[in-house]
Amino acid sequence: PTIPVYDENNPGGYGYGKSGVANTFAANPVAIANLIDQQNENFRIRGNVWAELEPWSFLKYRLNVGYETSFDNYFYLRKAGSWTLNQPVEETRTEQNRAQFQTQLIENTLTFQEEFGKHNVSLLVG
């Protein structure tokens, strides 16, 4: 109750106490919410499809196709002002990062599997 939420005498206009009057190490949550704007967005698509063919009982062919893509966007805005006592005043600054990522996968495999009497032979080639 001794520290107002808003104080036009402080940088940014938010209350956070005064040295010698209301010393506090607490931060003003309203100031933090209004002085920092941060957004992080990520859109991602992943997919995988496969098919198998068995031309003979001992041989199997498999095709596996995969795809992944991602679009990322990060935005940060720090407005000038302070939200706690003895905090240095920072100038307004902004950051923005954008990225796109893409991966493709194509796999071809042949599996040979046969029994010869007491023996079982499996061979995978890709």
Side-chain angles (χ1 to χ4, degrees):
T2 61
I3 301 171
V5 175
Y6 300 99
D7 186 346
E8 62 187 36
N9 297 321
N10 293 331
Y14 294 95
Y16 44 76
K18 293 185 175 152
S19 292
V21 177
N23 289 333
T24 181
F25 295 103
N28 183 330
V30 174
I32 293 171
N34 290 328
L35 293 177
I36 293 181
D37 182 13
Q38 183 173 340
Q39 298 171 11
N40 195 6
E41 297 173 354
N42 179 278
F43 178 74
R44 181 170 288 170
I45 298 173
R46 291 181 186 158
N48 193 51
V49 225
W50 59 271
E52 283 185 349
L53 298 174
E54 195 170 332
W56 298 282
S57 62
F58 60 88
L59 188 65
K60 192 183 295 184
Y61 167 75
R62 181 178 173 122
L63 171 66
N64 183 28
V65 179
Y67 179 76
E68 178 181 2
T69 186
S70 133
F71 300 91
D72 305 316
N73 185 16
Y74 171 76
F75 174 78
Y76 176 83
L77 173 64
R78 166 65 159 94
K79 299 175 189 170
S82 300
W83 55 75
T84 188
L85 191 62
N86 297 326
Q87 178 185 16
V89 179
E90 292 186 34
E91 296 297 318
T92 299
R93 70 181 172 100
T94 186
E95 299 172 18
Q96 187 168 10
N97 297 316
R98 291 177 182 234
Q100 181 181 0
F101 173 78
Q102 206 175 78
T103 303
Q104 295 130 10
L105 170 72
I106 300 175
E107 288 179 326
N108 292 285
T109 57
L110 283 175
T111 304
F112 174 85
Q113 189 166 8
E114 187 66 41
E115 289 185 25
F116 300 101
K118 294 182 182 181
H119 304 286
N120 187 354
V121 177
S122 288
L123 178 65
L124 175 66
V125 178

